[in-house]
Amino acid sequence: MNIGLDVGSTTAKIVHVEEREVIFSKVVPSHHWTELIDDGQDDRCIVSTGYFRKKVPHCAAITEITAASLGARYHNPETQVIIDIGGQDTKVIDLRSNTFVINDKCSAGTGAFLELAAHYFDIPVGSLGRLHSLATKGAQLNNTCGVFAISEMISQLVSGYSMEEVIYGLHQAFALKISQMVPSADTVMLIGGTVRNTGIIDAINNVLDSKIEVPGAPQLVNALGAALYRERLDDGR
Amino acid sequence: MNDTIGITALVPPELMYACGKRPLDVNNVVPVSSSSPSNKLCAWTAIWRDMILNGGLDIDSLVVVAGGDCHNALVDGQKAELSGMPTHYFFYPFDGDTDYLRSQLEKLVRFLGGIQDERMFSLISDLKAKGRALDELRVNDRARGSDVFSALISFSDLAGNPDIFGKTLDSVPRTDIRYSSRVALIGVPPIYPDFHETAEGFGLHVVYDELPYEFLRLGGSSLDSLASSYRDYSFAGPLKNRVRLIQDELLRRRVDGVIHYTQYACHHTLEDEIFRQHLDYPILTVQGDLPRPSTEQLKLRLEAFAEMLGVMS
Ligand code: SF4
């Protein structure tokens, strides 16, 4: 059995893979990561990834870039580009050229931006997608800085836009910000916990010309990739 | 003692020594600085500017390389001049015009007080040959990229003393090295003092440093030969020439990937797109701002790039 453990900034995930099939997975808040491996079996080889990859038990630690590449290819070997929207950063990986870019300077294209907006509206971040779907148009957000975007959203509410329209516009601005990092491609796969927000998928679909794919459990792709990396270790690669 | 002349970018060091002056590349003090300058765009120019204004750099006058290179330096150099520092402005021709460059070199010689010791030309030419041999050693895996870079980056001013610098070159450790991938470092030099060591920690052997190689590649023993060599200074000329030069070096040095270092608020950042279009290699672009030890963000990128080159290819 191959085990991948992804301990990121917000959540920790584990995936068990046997004969290239996922047989178990679990997600907990990051600081509870020990719960994922406290089943008394200390002699296993775990491949770790994520921010805390070197802080957790592992026989190999790989970056999220490599983990995402392996995990995305498992779902679709033809995928050309991956967009991994994390809590603190967003990574775009071009599998055709083995290149990647990471945005970790500006919060506007990361999960933290959506958290900030949800916090302002005092709603769970998980409800942003549903509210987005209730709007037929959006308020246009001009500010690409996460903090200033919030003050712009407040002005939009004052000028009469509904909360749903402001959220729609927020997702659109988020997608535009990310699209600046994305090369032109036929197929783009979205991964990371943030893409469980269907508003983000809709907005990215509107902004990019590519065919957008979202795997069944987008937040588990990196843990899955880490588990699959184990096969390469066994190959001696 | 000879006058010390600050230089803000490449000014033919053989000519400065021949004029009896000692060049000091003001950039060399930046990576080890811990200051956070106010009113800054690029930290390189802001830090040397502040050091000059505060009397923290022991120089008698300043040569600002402006034309064809850096406009931030042009402005910050003028601030130094307005504070009372004798300052000369040196312009490279964008179109490689030899006559223009020769006239610039003549003006520079006048500013420096005339040529006094022509032997310096051959002495420095020999040192550059030594530098190129050292560069070849790392291409042939016989020296660490970090050690070679530290030596080559000082070719802009020969560390203030060509004789001692020659001995420093001899003392660079010769050692067989192991690595997972060969990479080139293009763009302005990283402001992180431990960049090469950090890359080596992830198995990346830096076999080409673009700017220091310019210091070695160009030279001459008279105003005419200096003009016809330095007119090709790639950072000051058309990008297509620079791309061609880089392409040749990438091939010759058998690199697996390219790291493009960019500096916050530097116009060279805009070149990234062109390199990505014209260099057929995996490219990692990184950006630095203030001089600090390698950040975690930089380490993640280098580690991931090393994995990409090793595991994914
Ligand atoms: S990094 Fe760019 S802006 Fe800064 S000194 Fe060099 S050329 Fe000028």
Side-chain angles (χ1 to χ4, degrees):
Chain A
M1 183 172 67
N2 296 333
I3 302 174
L5 176 64
D6 172 11
V7 185
S9 59
T10 328
T11 54
K13 308 100 187 167
I14 198 160
V15 167
H16 294 186
V17 173
E18 205 156 81
E19 310 212 334
R20 293 189 69 80
E21 290 297 328
V22 176
I23 54 167
F24 174 76
S25 66
K26 192 172 174 186
V27 183
V28 297
S30 279
H31 43 279
H32 292 168
W33 63 267
T34 48
E35 292 171 14
L36 298 174
I37 53 169
D38 63 359
D39 50 7
Q41 299 178 48
D42 292 336
D43 53 343
R44 301 167 301 189
C45 169
I46 295 173
V47 178
S48 64
T49 187
Y51 271 116
F52 294 96
R53 65 189 177 283
K54 291 179 184 163
K55 303 272 181 243
V56 300
H58 60 269
C59 57
I62 60 172
T63 63
E64 303 91 292
I65 317 290
T66 302
S69 305
L70 297 172
R73 278 191 179 145
Y74 171 91
H75 285 294
N76 177 5
E78 305 300 321
T79 296
Q80 294 177 336
V81 169
I82 304 165
I83 305 178
D84 179 1
I85 307 172
Q88 299 299 317
D89 62 22
T90 293
K91 307 178 182 79
V92 175
I93 307 164
D94 189 337
L95 292 167
R96 298 164 297 183
S97 57
N98 277 346
T99 51
F100 59 89
V101 279
I102 307 175
N103 160 36
D104 52 15
K105 286 213 170 71
C106 162
S107 74
T110 72
F113 179 43
L114 299 177
E115 294 275 354
L116 194 68
H119 179 76
Y120 169 69
F121 286 117
D122 198 18
I123 54 173
V125 74
S127 63
L128 288 172
R130 188 179 53 78
L131 293 165
H132 172 107
S133 68
L134 298 176
T136 49
K137 63 177 170 60
Q140 192 182 331
L141 261 188
N142 295 315
N143 257 304
T144 50
C145 162
V147 175
F148 290 129
I150 298 292
S151 31
E152 201 181 338
M153 282 161 51
I154 296 171
S155 316
Q156 289 167 343
L157 290 171
V158 171
S159 68
Y161 282 102
S162 68
M163 177 171 78
E164 289 80 1
E165 287 166 343
V166 172
I167 288 170
Y168 186 100
L170 166 84
H171 286 151
Q172 208 62 27
F174 185 96
L176 268 176
K177 180 83 190 166
I178 287 176
S179 70
Q180 293 162 1
M181 302 163 67
V182 183
S184 124
D186 299 333
T187 50
V188 171
M189 186 179 286
L190 304 184
I191 66 169
T194 304
V195 305
R196 284 174 304 162
N197 175 344
T198 50
I200 290 296
I201 302 172
D202 183 48
I204 291 179
N205 250 317
N206 287 341
V207 168
L208 294 181
D209 290 333
S210 319
K211 176 170 174 271
I212 306 293
E213 298 175 285
V214 185
Q219 74 278 32
L220 293 177
V221 174
N222 289 355
L224 169 66
L228 297 171
Y229 179 80
R230 169 73 197 280
E231 294 169 6
R232 290 172 179 248
L233 283 183
D234 292 343
D235 288 354
R237 277 197 269 171
Chain B
M1 196 172 21
N2 294 344
D3 278 357
T4 301
I5 317 284
I7 52 170
T8 66
L10 181 62
V11 178
E14 42 279 89
L15 189 58
M16 305 197 71
Y17 280 107
C19 290
K21 306 297 181 198
R22 191 170 57 175
L24 173 78
D25 187 335
V26 294
N27 296 293
N28 290 349
V29 299
V30 171
V32 290
S33 156
S34 56
S35 76
S36 302
S38 54
N39 189 18
K40 83 166 193 41
L41 286 175
C42 162
W44 288 100
T45 68
I47 288 175
W48 60 245
R49 174 205 64 206
D50 280 3
M51 286 183 82
I52 293 174
L53 296 184
N54 302 333
L57 268 182
D58 193 10
I59 56 174
D60 300 293
S61 50
L62 180 68
V63 176
V64 176
V65 178
D69 204 352
C70 175
H71 277 67
N72 289 351
L74 180 57
V75 177
D76 281 333
Q78 289 177 79
K79 289 184 184 166
E81 183 182 19
L82 290 169
S83 78
M85 175 63 64
T87 302
H88 176 79
Y89 297 90
F90 183 78
F91 292 78
Y92 282 100
F94 178 72
D95 60 1
D97 184 337
T98 316
D99 293 338
Y100 176 82
L101 185 54
R102 197 181 189 289
S103 71
Q104 282 292 311
L105 293 172
E106 283 166 4
K107 280 186 193 160
L108 177 65
V109 168
R110 280 200 293 279
F111 177 74
L112 298 176
I115 293 178
Q116 297 173 9
D117 185 358
E118 298 216 349
R119 287 171 311 169
M120 281 297 173
F121 288 124
S122 61
L123 178 79
I124 292 172
S125 164
D126 291 349
L127 285 179
K128 288 192 175 180
K130 224 180 214 188
R132 287 192 294 272
L134 189 58
D135 194 22
E136 281 308 300
L137 277 181
R138 56 123 164 230
V139 173
N140 295 321
D141 307 340
R142 291 280 300 119
R144 265 191 296 273
S146 51
D147 293 333
V148 173
F149 170 76
S150 311
L152 301 192
I153 194 70
S154 289
F155 263 96
S156 57
D157 61 8
L158 302 119
N161 184 325
D163 292 328
I164 298 177
F165 186 59
K167 297 195 179 78
T168 309
L169 294 179
D170 293 334
S171 68
V172 172
R174 273 68 172 164
T175 171
D176 286 337
I177 55 155
R178 293 168 62 82
Y179 55 86
S180 56
S181 300
R182 302 164 71 83
V183 294
L185 182 57
I186 64 170
V188 298
I191 204 161
Y192 302 105
D194 58 352
F195 186 93
H196 287 71
E197 286 83 354
T198 307
E200 282 166 2
F202 296 118
L204 298 172
H205 177 34
V206 180
V207 293
Y208 177 49
D209 285 286
E210 188 194 359
L211 183 68
Y213 184 61
E214 292 299 284
F215 300 168
L216 296 178
R217 199 171 66 82
L218 309 170
S221 54
S222 64
L223 288 190
D224 283 334
S225 58
L226 287 172
S228 48
S229 175
Y230 279 87
R231 73 188 199 117
D232 289 336
Y233 176 37
S234 66
F235 276 74
L239 272 170
K240 59 178 192 293
N241 297 354
R242 194 169 147 210
V243 166
R244 209 174 307 128
L245 185 78
I246 294 174
Q247 281 168 333
D248 289 350
E249 290 305 318
L250 299 184
L251 201 63
R252 189 172 79 74
R253 295 170 194 248
R254 308 181 309 280
V255 311
D256 303 308
V258 175
I259 301 173
H260 180 204
Y261 176 80
T262 63
Q263 174 68 26
Y264 171 74
C266 169
H267 66 285
H268 285 298
T269 307
L270 297 171
E271 293 158 354
D272 193 58
E273 235 174 281
I274 296 179
F275 292 138
R276 286 178 180 271
Q277 270 165 21
H278 290 93
L279 304 178
D280 197 11
Y281 294 84
I283 299 185
L284 169 71
T285 305
V286 293
Q287 185 161 88
D289 184 4
L290 291 167
R292 301 287 181 266
S294 298
T295 57
E296 288 307 312
Q297 289 95 329
L298 173 68
K299 288 182 193 163
L300 172 67
R301 285 162 173 79
L302 291 174
E303 187 176 2
F305 193 54
E307 287 176 359
M308 278 278 187
L309 294 177
V311 181
M312 302 303 296
S313 53

